[in-house]
Amino acid sequence: MSDCLFCKIAEGQIPAKIAYENDKVIAFYDITPQAPIHLLVIPRKHIPSARDLSPEDMQEILPSIFEAIQRLSEDLGFKEKGYRIVNNCGVDGGQSVDHLHFHVLGGRQLQWPPG
Ligand code: 5GP
Ligand code: ZN
């Protein structure tokens, strides 16, 4: 989608610190980190939110997202201590960028529940 911030990051039109990318997904560091490690993992395809995943997306894109997260946790060394994966969906979920993204937070003891 032409006016989407994360599409522009995926296309290299807006700079971001890229941690990993392949043909389906891209991972970059959040501009306002909430933990020592705070990554955003997104599909290259513009999907507005988790509500909008088609059955094909669920088969083709979600596995790539979770493979990327596992690979990042190994490469960046936070697999053993653990981490949190967050998806904010829609207004009540607190989603502010309407391109599906998974937050990956680690590097400190995280609290629960969220607000
Ligand atoms: P949401 O609130 O939609 O779940 O998460 C959106 C995330 O995108 C926020 O954590 C916010 O800090 C991050 N973000 C917003 N604009 C940019 C940007 O231009 N670059 C990067 N790297 N992250 C951004
Ligand atoms: Zn987009």
Side-chain angles (χ1 to χ4, degrees):
M1 189 194 263
S2 59
D3 204 29
C4 169
L5 173 64
F6 286 177
C7 280
K8 287 179 179 163
I9 287 177
E11 288 161 12
Q13 294 171 20
I14 290 179
K17 190 176 170 198
I18 308 294
Y20 174 76
E21 59 185 317
N22 65 26
D23 60 328
K24 290 205 176 85
V25 304
I26 182 162
F28 53 94
Y29 287 87
D30 197 293
I31 204 167
T32 311
Q34 302 300 319
I37 295 160
H38 187 171
L39 297 158
L40 298 171
V41 185
I42 70 168
R44 288 188 182 278
K45 177 182 176 185
H46 181 81
I47 300 169
S49 79
R51 295 172 292 194
D52 304 299
L53 283 159
S54 69
E56 292 76 26
D57 293 333
M58 292 199 196
Q59 287 195 352
E60 290 169 15
I61 289 174
L62 287 187
S64 299
I65 297 267
F66 282 83
E67 279 163 19
I69 292 170
Q70 195 166 86
R71 178 190 282 243
L72 282 159
S73 74
E74 290 164 2
D75 292 353
L76 300 179
F78 59 91
K79 179 176 181 178
E80 190 182 338
K81 292 217 71 173
Y83 51 93
R84 182 173 295 166
I85 302 168
V86 174
N87 171 253
N88 297 325
C89 179
V91 173
D92 278 3
Q95 184 175 3
S96 63
V97 178
D98 290 333
H99 180 127
L100 178 66
H101 53 280
F102 292 83
H103 298 257
V104 180
L105 300 130
R108 69 169 169 86
Q109 177 67 64
L110 298 164
Q111 304 305 309
W112 190 262

